[in-house]
Amino acid sequence: EQAHPEDAKAAMAQLAAHLKGEIPHLETELRIRHPKGHWIWILIRGRVSRRDSGGRAELLSGILFDIDERKQAEAELRTAASVFTHSGEGILITDADLKIVDVNEAFTHITGYAREEVIGRKPGILSSGRHDRTFYGAMWEEISETGAWSGEIWNRRRDGSDYAQRLTISTVRDAWGQPLQYVGLFADITAQKNYQRELERMAHYDSLTGLPNRILLGDRLSQAMSMARRNNERMAVVYMDLDDFKLVNDQLGHQAGDQVLRQVAQRFAGALRETDTVARPGGDEFVAILNGLDSDGQVRPLLQRLLDEVNRPIVVADNAVEVGVSIGVSFYPQAGQPEADQLLRQADQAMFEAKRKGRNELCYFDAEMEQTARKRHDHQQRIRAALLANEFVLYYQPQIDLEQAAVIGVEALIRWQHPEQGLLGPGAFLPLIEDVALAADLGQWVIDRALQDLERWSEAGFDFEVAVNVSAAELLASEFPARLREQLAARPGVAPERLLLEVVETSMLEDVTRANEITHACHGLGVNFALDDFGTGFSSLNHLKHLPLKQLKIDRSFVLDMMSDPDDLAIVEAVINLGRAFGLEVLAEGVENEEHVTALRQLGCRLAQGYLFAKPMPAEKIPEWMQSWCLPSAWRETPRLVAGGRWLLFAEAELRCRRRRLQKIVAEAGAQCPVDSGSDRRSSLNTWLDKHADSVHCEPISQADIMLRETEQQLLQCCRTQQYQRAAGALVEWSDQAEQLITLIRKLRCTAHDSALRP
Ligand code: C2E
Ligand code: CA
Ligand code: CA
């Protein structure tokens, strides 16, 4: 009655069987109530120790064991077994000799091996062969020392495919501490591993071309460098930047651009040797590492291959695209033991130098290049600092309307008030600016300041324009129109029409579509445009027609020489006529003397700017200058040059030009200069004389011309016979006579009656 009801029946049945002699021993486990009231497990082991003659039991002896603890352990084991069977992780148990004694269902699921197939065998059957002896050696060493190991390992499935697993091995020891069993617990992490590998690939390879990216390039470069050192070989780093790739993007779209990059990448990869690396650090830049060279010269044919590959036309979207590449090369080892990134920078610098030379150029890095590059860098820094320190100032030079005798505007010209070097002109620092962002910032400062000054002058009642020079880099920056809009909005007192942006024609040609868009966007804000230095580039007239221009500026180099160089005079005349044809204002810059004014007026140019009127001056001087200035009346009345008079203008320029030529012949003693006869000279004067043979003015001019020709013949004769003393004397005479002739011509040209000048 002390026994647990669940166990009592079985115990009683056993007892009955034993008493009857059916079983030799009595051994039963059952729960009995402890005096304190709870149940405990006991084991009863016993037998009948004496029987009567009839075989009936007389004495029963036995022992009671407390097995409560064991029972509890067994219960735990049962749970463990259930975990073992149903775990999602693979479990493998071996004996001390590493023979597999058990595996679970997940093991079978992961490895593909059935339980029967592996029992009794060693875990080596799962090996993928990816790990070497040392790997396993280290693993078992750790297990014997610490009793456990965990890590990632590649194994092979029954079907031959490899899988990655995270594996924990632990040792089960016996009471004396000897290994009894090893339990391996593992999870399949192949998917995770693959994902990780994909991430790594993404981190190291460029997704567009599949080439190594900047990060992997750095690794490879360091490896190649240490290999070159070890093997005592040379290696080259080749920086390649495609020429005008932007045009491909702009004209054919970005998808086409991507295709071009992909094809170029393939070609580069194909053109190199197995051991070389080609990477794409970004944009349209590629870097090749060429190793195992015996000499630097060996690199040339490899580079040629790269060049040839790129130069073959690339077909994208039915267009044959021609791509060029600028190449910069640096070598290793070299003096100074540069680091990998320095070597790369050197090649990049050489590439920059190649770009400077033009398309498809090649440049090798040298130490001098390093120095100039550093200097350039220092200049950028210095200029940026100057901008922050407010060391720049704007000077203004007035622009005159000769016909109206009025000031129409002022041109803003930047100066640098350098703390040590004094006032510097733009030529001393603008050409050094290479950083596009710096150019844009400086340009923004100029516009800001000019608008500020303009506002002040407007308030003071002055009514003129401010012209501001805008560089190509500034203008073509995409944010230019937006910035300008903000700048204008910040100065509501200024009418946008008062701002005239001067752009040089060459900058408009760099990227015609972009230039068009941007100028139109700005024009939409009310701002006007002038084409600066006109005549120095090669403008397409078609392009000119489409730009929203107000003004053409004749470059001062042409104006300066127009009265002594017939070619320059021809250009000045052509620009004036072009402006008239397109309905644009024409402004001549660099007007230095009265002669310029007369000639320009006669050719039909109304607007002028130059030292003759005023030099550039600080902003605060402008109001004072405006008040005191007036145009001499003589200049106002210069008559227009009527047809025919043009020949006289050219005649004057030709005479001056001829004088220079003769001076040269005499000065160089005839040695270098072939002594030509005067007869082949292009003579506008002759043309005029032919056309006005009946004019009263004709006679004296004709006479003077004949005398001049005679003197010239004598002069040349002296040179031919090497009488240079006499030649020099003849030159003085020639110059006097030429001057007299010029005076006659000019008088005629400037006081001419229409009758005399009509063709
Ligand atoms: P530019 O636009 O052709 O400017 C006219 C230049 O001619 C100015 O030189 C001016 O001082 C000079 N000049 C004016 N009249 C005469 C004259 O009668 N005879 C001679 N020989 N020269 C005369 P500056 O100020 O040295 O400027 C040089 C160039 O620097 C400018 O040429 C312009 O291209 C550029 N520049 C000046 N300021 C700026 C600016 O704020 N931004 C940008 N992007 N460029 C500027
Ligand atoms: Ca200008
Ligand atoms: Ca100019």
Side-chain angles (χ1 to χ4, degrees), residues 16-31:
H18 180 63
L19 291 178
K20 282 184 200 155
E22 287 166 9
I23 48 171
H25 294 285
L26 183 70
E27 182 168 334
T28 187
E29 295 174 358
L30 74 163
R31 280 166 284 186

Side-chain angles (χ1 to χ4, degrees), residues 341-539:
D341 57 344
Q342 202 178 344
L343 202 58
L344 202 60
R345 228 177 9 249
Q346 292 179 349
D348 186 20
Q349 257 169 43
M351 185 278 291
F352 225 77
E353 214 51 51
K355 272 264 189 267
R356 241 182 253 274
K357 289 203 265 170
R359 278 174 68 93
N360 271 330
E361 287 285 348
L362 176 72
C363 222
Y364 295 95
F365 175 84
D366 60 36
E368 206 172 301
M369 208 178 278
E370 172 112 70
Q371 249 181 9
T372 41
R374 189 166 307 142
K375 230 183 252 166
R376 267 203 297 271
H377 177 74
D378 289 349
H379 279 302
Q380 312 291 300
Q381 301 282 84
R382 185 64 194 84
I383 292 169
R384 192 163 274 294
L387 187 57
L388 289 174
N390 219 359
E391 287 172 11
F392 291 107
V393 281
L394 286 188
Y395 272 42
Y396 291 91
Q397 185 177 36
Q399 299 176 324
I400 311 296
D401 182 333
L402 296 168
E403 215 170 270
Q404 304 287 320
V407 178
I408 52 153
V410 291
E411 178 180 4
L413 295 159
I414 194 166
R415 303 285 180 265
W416 182 357
Q417 189 61 61
H418 197 285
E420 289 114 43
Q421 297 171 37
L423 194 66
L424 299 180
F429 57 92
L430 288 187
L432 302 175
I433 298 183
E434 282 183 338
D435 181 359
V436 181
L438 179 56
D441 288 348
L442 189 61
Q444 195 179 14
W445 177 86
V446 171
I447 292 178
D448 261 339
R449 173 51 55 90
L451 287 175
Q452 191 180 323
D453 289 335
L454 184 56
E455 191 174 51
R456 189 138 16 91
W457 291 324
S458 294
E459 281 162 6
F462 293 110
D463 172 33
F464 52 66
E465 288 177 349
V466 169
V468 171
N469 293 283
V470 178
S471 72
E474 276 168 65
L475 182 78
L476 297 181
S478 51
E479 65 272 24
F480 184 80
R483 276 187 174 191
L484 184 62
R485 179 199 303 272
E486 285 172 21
Q487 288 172 311
L488 288 168
R491 306 236 166 249
V494 172
E497 297 71 35
R498 292 282 181 82
L499 184 63
L500 182 71
L501 299 180
E502 293 192 4
V503 291
V504 287
E505 62 171 320
T506 41
S507 77
M508 307 297 278
L509 295 177
E510 251 171 50
D511 188 341
V512 174
T513 337
R514 182 89 159 275
N516 248 316
E517 277 170 21
I518 291 180
T519 43
H520 277 99
C522 296
H523 193 241
L525 300 172
V527 169
N528 286 308
F529 279 93
L531 212 49
D532 206 356
D533 297 356
F534 191 71
T536 56
F538 303 94
S539 279

Side-chain angles (χ1 to χ4, degrees), residues 553-745:
K553 293 190 82 173
I554 310 172
D555 190 61
R556 67 175 184 275
S557 61
F558 303 122
V559 175
L560 230 48
D561 284 341
M562 64 185 278
M563 291 317 291
S564 58
D565 184 336
D567 291 336
D568 285 352
L569 182 60
I571 291 173
V572 171
E573 185 190 33
V575 176
I576 293 169
N577 290 337
L578 202 63
R580 197 178 295 140
F582 281 110
L584 300 174
E585 289 178 355
V586 177
L587 186 145
E589 56 178 28
V591 174
E592 291 193 348
N593 53 46
E594 225 172 299
E595 221 180 20
H596 288 148
V597 174
T598 314
L600 286 165
R601 289 280 279 131
Q602 289 185 329
L603 288 171
C605 180
R606 261 178 69 170
L607 309 180
Q609 170 183 358
Y611 293 170
L612 179 65
F613 313 105
K615 289 199 169 180
M617 63 189 99
E620 55 276 14
K621 290 264 168 62
I622 286 286
E624 189 187 324
W625 181 87
M626 290 285 291
Q627 246 124 38
S628 63
W629 180 78
C630 75
L631 190 71
S633 58
W635 303 351
R636 292 173 70 169
E637 283 150 20
T638 314
R640 280 280 296 274
L641 189 66
V642 290
R646 175 184 179 275
W647 299 113
L648 296 175
L649 198 55
F650 274 86
E652 206 176 311
E654 284 164 20
L655 281 168
R656 294 238 171 75
C657 187
R658 186 69 192 159
R659 178 164 59 205
R660 271 208 312 279
R661 172 96 187 124
L662 291 174
Q663 277 168 343
K664 198 167 175 207
I665 291 173
V666 173
E668 290 174 5
Q672 285 85 7
C673 295
V675 180
D676 51 18
S677 65
S679 57
D680 64 336
R681 86 171 197 232
R682 193 176 79 185
S683 173
S684 298
L685 190 60
N686 284 3
T687 312
W688 184 83
L689 286 170
D690 286 351
K691 291 187 176 197
H692 301 93
D694 54 347
S695 158
V696 282
H697 304 283
C698 202
E699 190 56 24
I701 289 183
S702 172
Q703 284 296 327
D705 186 42
I706 290 166
M707 268 166 60
L708 191 66
R709 280 168 190 275
E710 276 169 9
T711 314
E712 185 168 327
Q713 286 310 321
Q714 283 167 18
L715 188 154
L716 293 174
Q717 187 57 33
C718 292
C719 288
R720 273 187 222 105
T721 55
Q722 294 174 351
Q723 297 171 277
Y724 292 110
Q725 289 283 200
R726 287 188 58 193
L731 181 60
V732 174
E733 192 180 342
W734 189 95
S735 298
D736 286 348
Q737 288 172 346
E739 218 38 62
Q740 279 166 30
L741 180 52
I742 287 172
T743 312
L744 278 176
I745 292 173

